C-alpha cells in the first residue's frame, strides 16, 4: 500500500477480526490436513524398501503433486465461498481413503493409483481452505494472518517426522504409518459443520458481485499481470527447492550419522514457527519485495552448504537458518499477492500460488530423483536447490516497485 494511503480502520465491525472462530477453525483443519502430507518425508526411502526401481521413485514421489497441478485449475473455476466447505468435505473423504490404501499398495501401478487419489483429495481440501481463508482474512493484517496460517502448515512437519520415526520400529512398514494418519481427518470433519454455517452466513451478507467467479477477461488480466506472474514464478522456485530438502534430507542425514533424521524438520520448523509467531506483525510493516529478495539470496547460499555438514550439530544449525528463511518467504509472497490483487481476484490469485506449489512439488522430487538415480550425489542435489532459490530472488527483484505503484483496494 502506498505511504499516503489511509490505513484500514481496525474497529470497523464489517472488517473480520484476525483471531475469529472462522480463522481458528481454518487453521485447525489445516493442521490436521497437513499431517497426512508431512508423514511422507520418508516416502523415497519407503519406495527403496519396497524394491521400486530407482527410475520410478522420482515419478511416484511427484505423482501426487502432479495430480494436484492438473486438477487445481479446474477446481479454481468452480470454487466459490458458497461451496468451499463442501470442497473440503469431499477432499477429506478422498484423502482418508487414499491413506487407508497405502499399506496395500506395493507395486508401481497400485502406488500410482493411490498417489493420484491422494493428490485429488488433498488439492480439493486445500482449494476449499484457501477460498475460505481469503474471505475471512482482514487486509490490514494480511501478512500476520498468512504467517499464522502457514504455521499450521509447518507444525505437522515439525511434529510428525520424528513421531513417525519413533513409531516405525513397532510397525511393519511406512505404509502402516500412512494409514494411521487417516483418523486425524475425523476432528477436521467435525469442524466443518459450524464453519459451514458461518461461511454461508457471510456469503448471504456479501454483495452478489463478491461471490461471482472471475470472468475470463479478469482471469486473462491476472495471467498477464507482471507482478502476479513474478510472484507465481518465485513461489514455484521456492517450493521446488524446498521439496528437494523435504524428500531427500532423510537419506542424507542418516548417511552422515544423524540418529533421528526426522529431527532436522523439527529443528527447521521450530525456527520457522518461532519467527512467525513472535515477529508475524512486523511482516506487515516491512518492504515485502526487498525482504523477499534478501531472504532468497541468503537461502540460495545456504542450501549448497547442507552437503558439507559434518554431523548432527552443523546440520541442525543449518536447519535453524533454513527454517528462519522459510519463516519469511512464504507469508511475504502470499501477502504480496494479496496486496497487488483486486478483491475479486484474491482467491483466484491465491490459487495461482497454490498451482506453483503443486508444480514445485512435482518438479523438485522428479528432478531430484533423476539426480540421485544418476549417482550425482547430494552435493549436486543441494546445489540445484540453491540455484532455484536464486532464481526466486531474480523473480522478486521488481516486486517492490510494482507493489509501491499498485493502487490500494479497500
Amino acid at each position: 500500500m502506498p505511504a499516503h494511503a489511509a490505513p484500514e480502520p481496525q474497529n470497523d465491525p464489517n472488517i473480520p477480526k484476525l483471531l475469529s472462530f472462522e480463522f481458528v477453525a481454518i487453521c485447525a483443519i489445516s493442521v490436521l490436513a497437513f499431517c497426512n502430507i508431512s508423514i511422507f518425508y520418508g516416502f523415497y526411502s519407503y519406495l527403496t524398501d519396497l524394491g521400486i526401481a530407482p527410475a520410478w521413485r522420482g515419478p511416484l514421489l511427484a505423482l501426487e503433486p502432479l495430480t494436484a497441478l492438473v486438477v487445481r485449475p479446474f477446481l479454481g473455476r468452480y470454487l466459490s465461498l458458497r461451496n468451499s466447505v463442501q470442497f473440503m468435505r469431499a477432499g477429506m473423504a478422498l484423502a482418508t481413503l487414499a491413506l487407508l490404501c497405502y499399506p496395500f499398495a506395493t507395486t508401481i501401478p497400485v502406488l500410482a493409483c493411490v498417489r493420484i487419489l491422494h493428490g485429488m483429495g488433498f488439492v480439493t481440501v486445500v482449494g476449499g481452505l484457501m477460498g475460505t481463508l481469503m474471505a475471512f482474512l482482514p487486509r490490514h493484517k494480511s501478512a500476520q494472518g498468512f504467517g499464522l496460517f502457514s504455521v499450521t502448515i509447518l507444525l505437522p512437519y515439525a511434529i510428525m517426522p520424528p513421531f513417525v520415526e519413533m513409531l516405525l520400529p513397532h510397525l511393519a512398514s511406512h505404509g502402516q504409518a500412512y494409514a494411521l494418519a487417516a483418523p486425524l481427518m475425523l476432528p477436521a470433519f467435525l469442524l466443518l459443520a459450524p464453519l459451514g454455517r458461518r461461511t454461508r452466513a457471510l456469503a448471504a451478507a456479501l454483495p452478489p458481485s463478491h461471490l461471482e467467479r472471475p470472468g475470463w477477461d479478469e482471469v486473462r488480466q491476472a495471467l498477464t499481470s507482471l507482478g502476479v506472474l513474478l510472484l507465481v514464478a518465485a513461489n514455484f522456485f521456492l517450493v521446488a527447492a524446498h521439496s528437494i530438502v523435504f524428500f531427500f534430507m532423510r537419506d542424507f542425514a542418516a548417511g552422515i550419522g544423524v540418529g533421528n533424521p526426522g529431527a532436522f524438520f523439527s529443528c527447521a520448523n521450530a525456527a520457522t514457527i518461532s519467527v512467525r509467531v513472535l515477529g508475524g506483525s512486523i511482516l506487515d510493516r516491512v518492504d515485502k519485495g526487498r525482504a523477499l529478495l534478501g531472504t532468497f539470496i541468503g537461502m540460495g547460499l545456504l542450501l549448497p552448504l547442507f552437503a558439507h555438514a559434518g554431523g548432527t550439530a552443523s546440520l541442525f544449525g543449518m536447519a535453524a537458518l533454513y527454517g528462519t528463511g522459510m519463516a519469511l518467504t512464504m507469508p511475504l509472497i502470499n501477502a504480496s499477492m494479496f496486496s497487488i490483487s483486486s478483491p475479486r481476484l484474491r482467491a483466484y490469485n491465491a490459487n495461482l500460488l497454490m498451482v506453483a506449489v503443486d508444480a514445485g512439488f512435482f518438479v523438485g522430487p522428479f528432478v531430484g530423483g533423476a539426480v540421485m538415480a544418476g549417482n550425482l550425489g547430494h552435493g549436486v542435489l543441494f546445489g540445484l536447490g540453491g540455484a532455484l532459490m536464486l532464481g526466486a530472488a531474480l523473480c522478486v527483484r521488481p516486486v517492490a516497485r510494482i507493489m509501491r505503484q499498485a493502487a490500494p483496494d479497500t
Side-chain angles (χ1 to χ4, degrees):
M1 182 179 292
H4 63 271
E8 278 193 354
Q10 299 190 24
N11 57 353
D12 188 337
N14 294 319
I15 298 177
K17 306 303 179 184
L18 179 58
L19 295 181
S20 62
F21 169 84
E22 295 84 0
F23 182 79
V24 173
I26 290 167
C27 288
I29 293 169
S30 178
V31 169
L32 297 167
F34 277 90
C35 279
N36 80 71
I37 291 295
S38 61
I39 58 176
F40 285 86
Y41 72 99
F43 195 59
Y44 185 84
S45 299
Y46 178 51
L47 294 176
T48 303
D49 295 340
L50 289 176
I52 302 298
W56 278 101
R57 294 172 196 165
L60 285 172
L61 278 175
L63 192 54
E64 184 265 337
L66 174 62
T67 303
L69 175 63
V70 172
V71 171
R72 192 183 300 277
F74 295 98
L75 292 183
R77 285 291 298 153
Y78 297 99
L79 176 65
S80 69
L81 183 60
R82 290 192 184 97
N83 62 19
S84 58
V85 171
Q86 286 86 342
F87 268 60
M88 283 187 270
R89 187 174 288 113
M92 288 178 193
L94 292 176
T96 300
L97 178 60
L99 290 169
L100 294 173
C101 289
Y102 274 103
F104 310 102
T106 57
T107 64
I108 291 173
V110 179
L111 279 165
C113 291
V114 174
R115 295 293 282 170
I116 291 171
L117 179 66
H118 199 178
M120 291 179 63
F122 189 68
V123 70
T124 307
V125 172
V126 174
L129 270 174
M130 292 303 296
T132 309
L133 174 67
M134 298 302 285
F136 289 105
L137 190 65
R139 177 185 172 87
H140 66 282
K141 292 188 176 181
S142 61
Q144 183 180 6
F146 280 120
L148 291 175
F149 177 74
S150 62
V151 168
T152 71
I153 297 174
L154 292 168
L155 189 60
Y157 290 94
I159 296 174
M160 297 305 289
F163 178 68
V164 171
E165 288 291 325
M166 291 188 293
L167 281 181
L168 283 176
H170 309 287
L171 301 175
S173 69
H174 278 82
Q176 289 189 1
Y178 303 151
L180 288 176
L184 293 175
M185 292 293 95
L186 179 58
F189 272 113
L190 296 177
L191 283 170
L192 290 181
L195 181 61
R197 288 193 295 270
R198 292 170 183 247
T199 301
R200 289 191 297 272
L202 175 62
L206 288 174
S209 61
H210 285 213
L211 301 175
E212 294 175 359
R213 292 193 296 269
W216 285 114
D217 287 341
E218 292 173 296
V219 170
R220 282 192 292 270
Q221 178 186 357
L223 294 176
T224 56
S225 167
L226 179 60
V228 170
L229 292 177
L230 287 171
L231 289 172
V232 169
N235 211 35
F236 164 74
F237 288 128
L238 167 64
V239 175
H242 174 65
S243 69
I244 288 174
V245 176
F246 178 68
F247 283 114
F248 297 97
M249 180 55 72
R250 184 182 189 274
D251 278 356
F252 174 75
I256 63 172
V258 175
N260 186 336
F264 171 91
F265 301 102
S266 296
C267 186
N269 287 299
T272 302
I273 292 168
S274 298
V275 171
R276 289 185 183 173
V277 171
L278 298 177
S281 60
I282 299 175
L283 297 180
D284 284 301
R285 299 195 294 270
V286 301
D287 185 313
K288 297 177 179 62
R290 290 175 181 170
L292 278 171
L293 177 62
T295 305
F296 276 132
I297 291 174
M299 296 281 274
L301 299 175
L302 173 65
L303 261 65
L305 296 179
F306 283 150
H308 302 285
T312 301
S314 59
L315 184 64
F316 284 9
M318 293 180 196
L321 292 175
Y322 178 76
T324 301
M326 295 300 291
L328 300 174
T329 52
M330 288 185 172
L332 285 173
I333 284 179
N334 280 279
S336 298
M337 184 67 86
F338 191 91
S339 297
I340 67 174
S341 302
S342 65
R344 279 171 53 80
L345 285 173
R346 281 176 187 155
Y348 184 85
N349 288 345
N351 270 295
L352 286 181
L353 287 179
M354 294 308 299
V355 170
V357 171
D358 299 331
F361 265 106
F362 165 66
V363 171
F366 189 88
V367 175
V371 169
M372 298 307 291
N375 295 315
L376 298 179
H378 286 92
V380 172
L381 187 68
F382 293 133
L384 173 62
L388 290 167
M389 289 291 189
L390 293 177
L394 291 175
C395 291
V396 302
R397 186 176 181 182
V399 167
R401 174 179 54 80
I402 293 172
M403 290 178 63
R404 285 193 295 268
Q405 293 174 350
D409 293 304
T410 57

